[in-house]
Amino acid sequence: MDNQHRPLQNRVTPFGDIVAIMQRGLFTGNRGIIHDPATKSLLRRRWSSKAWLICVCDYRGRRRDVMAGRSWTELFFLDEAVALAAGHRPCFFCRREAALGFRAAWADGSSPPSAGELDAALHAQRQSGGRKRIHPLPLPITDLPDGTVVVAADAAFTVASGHCFPWTEAGYRAPEAHVDAEGMLTPPSTFHALRAGYRPVLHPDIASFLAGLPS
């Protein structure tokens, strides 16, 4: 593959890594400015802001030349479950309704936190020693809310309707029958929001797989 058609290093995995793969995503987002626009390559740092956002790819017809400027570094996620697992949260600007719903579910009847408070809490839950934090599994897999992402044997699985869908560079695969999860990639605060009723946007492949399962 020549350099002109080589994918940029801007796809985010459920582990929070930023990789160069061909995968198309439903959402974009950012962690601040972490690239060199002259080379369209990442700098050594993987975030410059604690506000890790999930944004829409199409906002009022605006178009951006990816990694061309110094406003923010465009990152891409297969779906919202992957973005949430990586430690991002909905943007209050381009996804205001989703962001308000996420904040309300996070608060779960308490006083809603500010955006800064959301970011501070998520930042503490994202990494430990420079590595993605794996959190204890709070419930059996069949009881986890849709959009929770678990880890087993170094692979990530998005839970939907009690089934575990493997995330791969090519997208989701059909659910696996038995997944011995070692923990949860989704931050605990985000998991609480999912359990309280926030419904993330899942890739349509998951619905297609679910429709083909025996009832």
Side-chain angles (χ1 to χ4, degrees):
M1 182 181 294
D2 58 55
N3 289 334
Q4 183 178 358
H5 297 94
R6 191 182 303 277
L8 297 174
Q9 188 179 354
N10 59 6
R11 269 63 168 177
V12 180
T13 77
F15 294 91
D17 298 324
I18 307 174
V19 296
I21 57 177
M22 294 298 294
Q23 183 184 97
R24 303 283 293 181
L26 298 182
F27 292 96
T28 185
N30 74 91
R31 305 175 181 178
I33 303 172
I34 55 174
H35 74 284
D36 175 7
T39 60
K40 293 194 174 185
S41 60
L42 292 188
L43 305 174
R44 292 186 62 182
R45 64 191 180 196
R46 291 296 178 264
W47 58 275
S48 64
S49 168
K50 292 182 180 179
W52 292 21
L53 305 180
I54 309 169
C55 302
V56 294
C57 290
D58 185 3
Y59 182 71
R60 297 182 178 178
R62 298 179 185 178
R63 299 186 64 85
R64 293 174 60 91
D65 187 358
V66 176
M67 286 189 175
R70 291 285 294 171
S71 57
W72 48 276
T73 301
E74 300 89 347
L75 305 175
F76 296 90
F77 315 92
L78 179 61
D79 64 6
E80 193 170 10
V82 168
L84 292 172
H88 291 245
R89 52 98 175 155
C91 172
F92 277 93
F93 180 71
C94 67
R95 300 190 66 217
R96 185 164 183 79
E97 184 176 351
L100 291 174
F102 180 78
R103 183 171 68 175
W106 175 301
D108 195 17
S110 301
S111 178
S114 66
E117 289 169 335
L118 291 175
D119 296 332
L122 286 173
H123 188 70
Q125 297 172 12
R126 289 170 183 145
Q127 297 182 333
S128 178
R131 298 176 61 87
K132 182 73 170 74
R133 289 188 65 177
I134 297 176
H135 304 277
L137 205 62
L139 295 170
I141 284 179
T142 53
D143 294 331
L144 295 174
D146 288 1
T148 305
V149 179
V150 300
V151 59
D154 297 325
F157 298 81
T158 293
V159 177
S161 298
H163 298 277
C164 292
F165 295 85
W167 177 94
T168 75
E169 292 186 1
Y172 286 118
R173 295 202 313 265
E176 296 191 3
H178 301 288
V179 174
D180 187 13
E182 302 149 13
M184 183 173 67
L185 295 177
T186 305
S189 293
T190 298
F191 169 79
H192 178 80
L194 296 177
R195 197 176 183 193
Y198 183 73
R199 296 291 177 260
V201 178
L202 304 182
H203 196 278
D205 283 352
I206 289 181
S208 297
F209 284 127
L210 286 172
L213 294 177
S215 55

